[in-house]
Amino acid sequence: MADRNDVSLFARAWVVASPLLERVGLADSRRRLVADLHGTVVEVGAGSGVTFEHYPPEVTRVVAVEPDPHLRAHALRYAAGAPVRVEVVDTVAEALPLADGEADAVVFGLVLCTVPDVAAALAEARRVLAPDGELRLLEHVRADGALGRVADRIAPVWSRVGGGCRPNRDTARRLDEAGFDVSGLRTSPFPPVFPLTPMLTGSARPRSPGRSPGPQ
Ligand SMILES: C[S@@+](CC[C@H](N)C(=O)[O-])C[C@H]1O[C@@H](n2cnc3c(N)ncnc32)[C@H](O)[C@@H]1O
């Protein structure tokens, strides 16, 4: 895992990079990420808050979790100008500040690559989701074939300079193992920038109790 100095260097770089990424196409991806949501939404690892402007008016409350102080300060600024109510909270994915079943949706955008304990983060997401709630995802994942093997090789260095980001996580498998139905997710080669591709996007809902993991 990256040390404190690396993470804050990354945070400074991300504040500059994230609005630029919006301009080269990520804005559309983020809009789709939160499109048609309603009610109470948890945005995990909100970063500098660039997604806030895309929430539709049917969302009544966004609880934006962000552990990094530098990014959180920027998120607070974006929250003040957001079209919906946004509360920015200092905590982590592994300890969400909501009661069981309180959230209509949990949003993960470019964050499951970074959280240290993916299983704990997904268990927390599942705990706070309402029975008919959903996860929304925009996550870069390990590529198949040679690119995946390169991602495996560069992962230690990439993680060190990228604030803990792992370019080779099999996030769909982790979701499946955590009890989510992954049939509503797809991977696409956008952005065409290795190792931030392919991108896993879409919606995943908790599987009904008793249904086993794997292809349904
Ligand atoms: C690549 S940035 C993405 C930020 C934002 N979601 C975006 O799309 O611009 C990764 C984010 O994950 C956050 N993060 C890292 N570990 C985390 C954890 N355990 N729980 C919640 N967020 C975490 C970082 O602070 C950072 O904001």
Side-chain angles (χ1 to χ4, degrees):
M1 196 162 61
D3 67 27
R4 273 181 162 275
N5 289 335
D6 290 330
V7 171
S8 87
L9 262 182
F10 168 77
R12 275 192 274 274
W14 192 254
V15 166
V16 176
S18 46
L20 297 177
L21 289 171
E22 287 280 282
R23 279 183 227 154
V24 296
L26 263 191
D28 282 343
S29 305
R30 290 184 198 281
R31 204 170 293 116
R32 281 196 294 274
L33 175 66
V34 299
D36 305 320
L37 292 180
H38 66 277
T40 296
V41 177
V42 186
E43 185 180 328
V44 180
S48 56
V50 288
T51 302
F52 299 163
E53 66 173 297
H54 301 303
Y55 280 98
E58 291 78 14
V59 170
T60 50
R61 176 188 179 212
V62 177
V63 179
V65 166
E66 178 47 57
D68 182 276
H70 186 68
L71 291 171
R72 203 167 52 248
H74 283 268
L76 280 165
R77 241 170 273 155
Y78 273 90
V84 298
R85 175 179 153 208
V86 181
E87 299 159 26
V88 180
V89 184
D90 175 12
T91 186
V92 289
E94 297 88 338
L96 297 178
L98 282 94
D100 296 2
E102 194 181 350
D104 297 292
V106 177
V107 172
F108 289 105
L110 308 180
V111 67
L112 284 173
C113 54
T114 300
V115 297
D117 189 340
V118 177
L122 293 176
E124 264 300 84
R126 196 174 172 150
R127 179 186 69 76
V128 303
L129 269 185
D132 60 346
E134 62 178 310
L135 296 189
R136 286 289 182 88
L137 290 115
L138 172 66
E139 293 289 343
H140 68 88
V141 294
R142 187 184 187 279
D144 290 331
L147 278 183
R149 290 191 291 278
V150 176
D152 295 339
R153 293 284 295 274
I154 66 168
V157 173
W158 182 264
S159 172
R160 196 163 169 74
V161 296
C165 170
R166 309 294 301 187
N168 58 345
R169 280 194 167 156
D170 185 349
T171 302
R173 182 176 60 79
R174 304 302 297 272
L175 286 157
D176 189 34
E177 289 169 355
F180 288 92
D181 174 359
V182 295
S183 60
L185 297 175
R186 64 187 181 90
T187 49
S188 61
F190 176 84
V193 180
F194 179 79
L196 300 180
T197 192
M199 200 70 87
L200 180 72
T201 59
S203 169
R205 293 179 186 270
R207 270 196 307 269
S208 325
R211 294 195 69 179
S212 51
Q216 303 290 308

